[in-house]
Amino acid sequence: MEISQEAIRQFVLALPVLLLAFSVHEFMHAWVALKQGDDTAYKAGRVTLDPRSHIDPIGSLLFPAIGALTGAPIIGWARPTPTNPSKYRHYKRGDILVSLAGVVGNLGLAVMFALLHLGAVALARQVGVSGFLATADELFITGVFLNVFLIFFNLLPVPPLDGSHVLYHLLPVNLAHAYRQLYPYGFIILYMLLILNALNKMAIPATAVARFLLWPASLV
């Protein structure tokens, strides 16, 4: 398979956004866990935005690289944040809040990048488009799309993704127990979804949400 220069450029552009997105995602898990009474991640040094504390070579680098260089959605994951749900003051509520904290962080980043894009467009109207501004704006647009894609990806009800924790608590007890039996096979399921291009379906609603966030810039 021949890899185009454009695919390589897109991955290089996406890499800093991914590192930030993964770091914020895991920081939010760790911080909310601490607020819920679990200091496991805090003691492991994970309540930080330093990417070195969160990056997983396969999930944060290899998996996104495969997606970028093959035309598949750029998705991935960081090192799982260690938690001890038994320390939560309220187990069910704590586990749901901690699970959703990461995607809330990605949503915040998506909105931030959308605002930066809006500012870049407004600035370009005033001073004209320069090479630096064009590249920066492309980075902002990439930031919106990647963070929205990561939100949809992490909300998939496939273990160990965040959506699986939320679904587990929403299911009746007997179904929740049966669902839990899938946990050891989560990564196999994810790889099968990738091989079958099923994750491409996720791009349809994710793209719609990303374009909605970018839409205000078209009014400038």
Side-chain angles (χ1 to χ4, degrees), residues 23 26-27 46 48 50-56 60 78-79:
S23 298
E26 297 305 325
F27 163 80
R46 300 296 297 278
T48 176
D50 187 344
R52 294 173 296 180
S53 298
H54 305 296
I55 297 307
D56 174 84
S60 307
R79 289 171 52 209

Side-chain angles (χ1 to χ4, degrees), residues 109-122 133 136-137 140-141 144:
L109 282 177
V111 172
M112 180 194 76
F113 279 118
L115 291 174
L116 289 172
H117 168 62
L118 178 61
V121 171
L133 184 58
D137 192 38
F140 301 153
I141 294 172
V144 173

Side-chain angles (χ1 to χ4, degrees), residues 73-88:
I74 300 177
I75 52 177
W77 58 87
R79 289 171 52 209
T81 297
T83 59
N84 184 353
S86 65
K87 290 186 175 182
Y88 297 153

